[in-house]
């Protein structure tokens, strides 16, 4: 039975895995009004209705948006119905 390998043999393997996390939803202030502008982390646009999408290779706790309303820090850890709370700062 030459040429037949034992199906129970184990071989060491190395693998590199790259994961991207996709964050998306709506950014709103404490009154529920949309926050829009530019994401500092990526340069991506946050649309006038607050809609955003961001791919990241690391887990993000918060993002920063700069726009006409000023600068906001948005918490990505506690979304409610795909809405993320942003505070001035």
């Amino acid at each position: 039975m030459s040429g037949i390998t034992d199906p129970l043999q184990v071989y060491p393997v190395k693998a590199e895995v790259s994961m991207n996390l996709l964050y998306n939803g709506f950014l709103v202030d404490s009154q529920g009004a949309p926050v829009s502008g530019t994401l500092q982390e990526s340069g991506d646009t946050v649309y006038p209705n607050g809609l955003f999408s961001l791919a990241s290779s690391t887990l993000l706790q918060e993002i920063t948006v700069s726009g006409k309303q000023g600068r906001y820090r948005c918490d990505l850890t506690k979304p409610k119905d795909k809405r993320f709370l942003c505070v001035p700062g």
Side-chain angles (χ1 to χ4, degrees):
M1 292 198 177
S2 67
I4 297 177
T5 58
D6 183 352
L8 300 178
Q9 289 179 342
V10 177
Y11 298 96
V13 175
K14 278 189 176 183
E16 288 186 30
V17 177
S18 176
M19 281 182 46
N20 274 332
L21 301 168
L22 181 61
Y23 297 91
N24 60 60
F26 295 89
L27 302 178
V28 296
D29 66 14
S30 60
Q31 306 299 315
V35 171
S36 61
T38 303
L39 291 175
Q40 272 196 290
E41 291 75 10
S42 64
D44 290 324
T45 298
V46 180
Y47 294 96
N49 64 352
L51 179 66
F52 81 103
S53 182
L54 171 67
S56 174
S57 59
T58 60
L59 188 61
L60 299 174
Q61 300 291 316
E62 69 176 25
I63 54 177
T64 304
V65 179
S66 297
K68 292 178 184 175
Q69 305 135 306
R71 186 174 161 142
Y72 281 82
R73 288 179 297 116
C74 305
D75 184 354
L76 297 179
T77 65
K78 300 172 191 155
K80 291 182 183 175
D81 299 324
K82 296 298 267 180
R83 298 190 186 290
F84 298 87
L85 181 62
C86 301
V87 295

